[in-house]
Structure formats: C-alpha cells, structure tokens
Amino acid sequence: VQLQASGGGLVQAGGSLRLSCAASGEIFKVNEMGWYRQASGKGRELVAGITSGGSTNYADSVKGRSTISWDNVKRAVNLQMNNLEPEDTGVYYCNGWIVAGTPLALTAYWGKGTQVTVSS
C-alpha cells in the first residue's frame, strides 16, 4: 500500500492550496484518511480527516478555511485550504487507516510529506 501526495508549495498569505493524496496497492478497504502537519520544532498534528462514511473533523485552527473531501473512485483524499496564514506553514503528511494484506489487517499508512510555506 502506498499513499502518493501531491500539491503543496509556496503561497502568499490569503492564498489557497489544494493537497491531494491517492492510495494504491492491494487495498481491501479504506476506513479513513486525513492530513497532518508538522511545523518546524513542533509535533505532528491533525489538520483534517474524513471517514469512508463521509464524517469529517478539522483542527480548530483551520475550521472555516479548509474542506476535506473523499473520492471513492480514485481512493483519494483532497484538502482545499483557503485564506492561508503563515501559521499554516509546515510539512503536510497524508495518513490513511487501510485494511489490506494477508491476513487482512487495519494499519496506518503514511505518505511522504509535502512542504507548504505561507509567506506573510
């Protein structure tokens, strides 16, 4: 199982970015996926998550500015971030709780991080 992330980059404060992450491999079921971020010198924190049933949750810091969505056909999660702030700067990691393998097991998978830099 692999998680391939795309998006990220450098953007000015007030701008927007869209992060995408697609899961591939011998997947039986994707339970939930989400995005975490890690700012320099800080721990990894949840930005937004979505379950296969469509339930979502957001960090308080991004509520109202971000929307997470799930593409069941592509097995991809998208995070649209608007009105970005310098505090949103960090490395963003895609995460997925996926049922895969033989025997089937629920495991957390991580994609490679993608840098998001918001300039003031």
Side-chain angles (χ1 to χ4, degrees):
V1 175
Q2 290 187 330
L3 300 183
Q4 183 65 49
S6 60
L10 174 64
V11 63
Q12 288 187 332
S16 298
L17 276 178
R18 181 181 176 88
L19 303 179
S20 296
C21 177
S24 62
E26 296 293 326
I27 296 171
F28 178 76
K29 184 177 183 292
V30 178
N31 276 19
E32 60 182 284
M33 293 187 73
W35 285 94
Y36 288 71
R37 71 183 174 200
Q38 187 165 17
S40 180
K42 296 186 178 181
R44 195 171 296 189
E45 62 174 356
L46 175 69
V47 177
I50 186 168
T51 69
S52 58
S55 298
T56 59
N57 64 306
Y58 297 91
D60 288 342
S61 60
V62 304
K63 280 181 181 176
R65 301 188 293 120
S66 299
T67 302
I68 191 168
S69 60
W70 171 248
D71 185 332
N72 194 42
V73 175
K74 296 181 179 179
R75 284 177 169 167
V77 60
N78 302 304
L79 179 65
Q80 178 67 40
M81 302 183 68
N82 302 319
N83 194 20
L84 285 161
E85 303 169 353
E87 292 74 21
D88 294 317
T89 295
V91 179
Y92 283 67
Y93 296 91
C94 176
N95 163 265
W97 281 93
I98 297 171
V99 180
T102 304
L104 291 176
L106 178 63
T107 306
Y109 293 88
W110 292 91
K112 291 184 180 179
T114 183
Q115 178 71 42
V116 172
T117 302
V118 183
S119 63
S120 57

